[in-house]
Amino acid sequence: MVASNDTKVPLAVIVGVTGQQGGSVANALIQSDKSYRIVGLTRDAAKPSAQAWIEKGVQLHEVDISPGKDADVVRAFEGADIVFAVTNAVELRSKEKEVAQGKLMVDAAKAGHVKLFIWSNLESPAKWSKGRLSASAFDAKAEITDYLRDSGVPFALVPAGGYFSGVFRGPFSRVKQSDGSYTFTLPCPGTAMSPVIDIPRDYGMYVRAVIENPGMGAGSEVLTGFMISHEDRMAQLSEFTGKKHTFRQASRDEWVDMNKVHGIPPTISEGIYEAFQFVAEFGYYGNKDVSASQKAAGVMSPTYLEMCQNQEPSTFD
């Protein structure tokens, strides 16, 4: 299946088409029963991960979404029926830069008369805790959401849950022990509940639901992922793989020291620590009902076991 080139069908502009979220959205729209023209935004259209989209009928538009490049972003958004927007906190490593980038996209959507701006948002630990907790990756996206609400741009919210892949890849992944078992360490209780989502495979279906399903569209929010505790994840991984997986809670100081090995500055580690405290105390989505949200949108998350079953065997090596 490929994207349409019919000018009569809706135009969807996807920020970060080579990323996990943007790529998932592009694939979901390509696989839809409805037709879409798709423009994928990237900073480097020559790289292989970008070029692969051309074979799927996606038009690539090279653009740098940075302050001072406002006119370029407006041109990229202009005439779009749908814009999917996301910011990358890991890449930017600055709340100020992330907020500036998000506000730039909102302003561009307004100037370009975008009909539906779909934003990958998160809740604000600072707001929920009345200033006691602060996590820049969460708080930045929440500040952008507030700006979006005041902008007059028609929008919908599709926050991404915790990445399924995080247990297996990246700085916070499981660690193999001498006996062949695995330990997964986070700075929160193992009983803490959080949503887990296989981003490449499943995130796009939530965005597509916002676009296509009755009662969705502007003003809607769909909460993504399957709610599960860290301990239950490890128990299910143990059963599925036949290899013992154990959850371990790290203290604040231990967490900061652990992350130094991966080149993560203490200030960022502290923010990540507080994000986990927020989730444990208030919930990843605050007090919002994930099941009710997904039911209203007409889309339900696969279970954690189903996500495991959907992976290549090499994922668990």
Side-chain angles (χ1 to χ4, degrees), residues 41-75:
L41 304 188
T42 178
R43 284 174 302 181
D44 183 2
K47 62 186 178 182
S49 59
Q51 287 291 305
W53 287 107
I54 294 177
E55 298 176 7
K56 295 185 177 184
V58 174
Q59 302 172 52
L60 295 180
H61 190 134
E62 198 167 84
V63 62
D64 180 8
I65 304 176
S66 299
K69 307 287 187 178
D70 307 46
D72 293 342
V73 184
V74 172
R75 280 193 293 270

Side-chain angles (χ1 to χ4, degrees), residues 17-302:
V17 73
T18 60
Q20 292 195 58
Q21 291 186 39
S24 185
V25 173
N27 275 323
L29 295 184
I30 289 170
Q31 293 162 9
S32 174
D33 293 335
K34 300 181 183 298
S35 295
Y36 298 91
R37 287 177 294 147
I38 300 175
V39 171
L41 304 188
T42 178
R43 284 174 302 181
D44 183 2
K47 62 186 178 182
S49 59
Q51 287 291 305
W53 287 107
I54 294 177
E55 298 176 7
K56 295 185 177 184
V58 174
Q59 302 172 52
L60 295 180
H61 190 134
E62 198 167 84
V63 62
D64 180 8
I65 304 176
S66 299
K69 307 287 187 178
D70 307 46
D72 293 342
V73 184
V74 172
R75 280 193 293 270
F77 285 4
E78 203 160 25
D81 296 282
I82 303 150
V83 166
F84 169 75
V86 62
T87 51
N88 189 333
V90 175
E91 180 181 276
L92 293 170
R93 290 199 171 194
S94 163
K95 179 183 176 183
E96 291 72 23
K97 288 181 180 179
E98 188 171 0
V99 170
Q101 187 181 76
K103 288 182 176 180
L104 190 162
M105 290 191 288
V106 172
D107 291 342
K110 187 169 187 175
H113 306 290
V114 170
K115 295 178 182 177
L116 179 62
F117 185 88
I118 302 175
W119 168 234
S120 178
N121 67 305
L122 288 173
E123 296 293 323
S124 169
K127 282 187 178 180
W128 278 94
S129 68
K130 296 182 169 44
R132 179 167 50 84
L133 299 172
S134 176
S136 62
F138 279 66
D139 288 321
K141 287 179 172 61
E143 186 173 333
I144 295 163
T145 304
D146 289 341
Y147 187 78
L148 177 58
R149 291 186 193 281
D150 294 336
S151 70
V153 174
F155 72 93
L157 304 175
V158 186
Y163 285 31
F164 175 90
S165 60
V167 171
F168 309 101
R169 298 191 300 275
F172 313 135
S173 59
R174 62 185 184 169
V175 175
K176 192 171 187 177
Q177 306 300 307
S178 58
D179 62 357
S181 67
Y182 291 89
T183 300
F184 182 52
T185 303
L186 291 177
C188 62
T191 54
M193 302 286 291
S194 64
V196 177
I197 177 173
D198 182 348
I199 292 287
R201 181 181 290 269
D202 297 326
Y203 180 76
M205 73 177 180
Y206 296 96
V207 173
R208 188 174 65 199
V210 160
I211 297 168
E212 297 181 354
N213 291 2
M216 294 289 104
S220 62
E221 180 177 33
V222 182
L223 308 180
T224 70
F226 178 76
M227 295 300 296
I228 188 170
S229 72
H230 304 303
E231 288 179 348
D232 284 345
R233 269 200 288 172
M234 294 305 101
Q236 291 189 27
L237 271 178
S238 298
E239 183 176 353
F240 183 79
T241 64
K243 300 173 183 177
K244 184 178 179 182
H245 286 69
T246 303
F247 179 83
R248 190 174 72 83
Q249 180 176 355
S251 67
R252 187 181 198 122
D253 290 343
E254 183 183 7
W255 178 253
V256 172
D257 287 341
M258 284 171 55
N259 290 334
K260 288 178 183 176
V261 176
H262 301 289
I264 301 174
T267 52
I268 293 179
S269 293
E270 291 278 358
I272 297 169
Y273 174 87
E274 297 213 347
F276 278 108
Q277 306 318 299
F278 159 69
V279 173
E281 185 173 348
F282 297 99
Y284 190 92
Y285 297 127
N287 59 6
K288 297 174 183 175
D289 188 325
V290 175
S291 294
S293 172
Q294 293 180 8
K295 184 177 180 179
V299 57
M300 297 300 289
S301 169

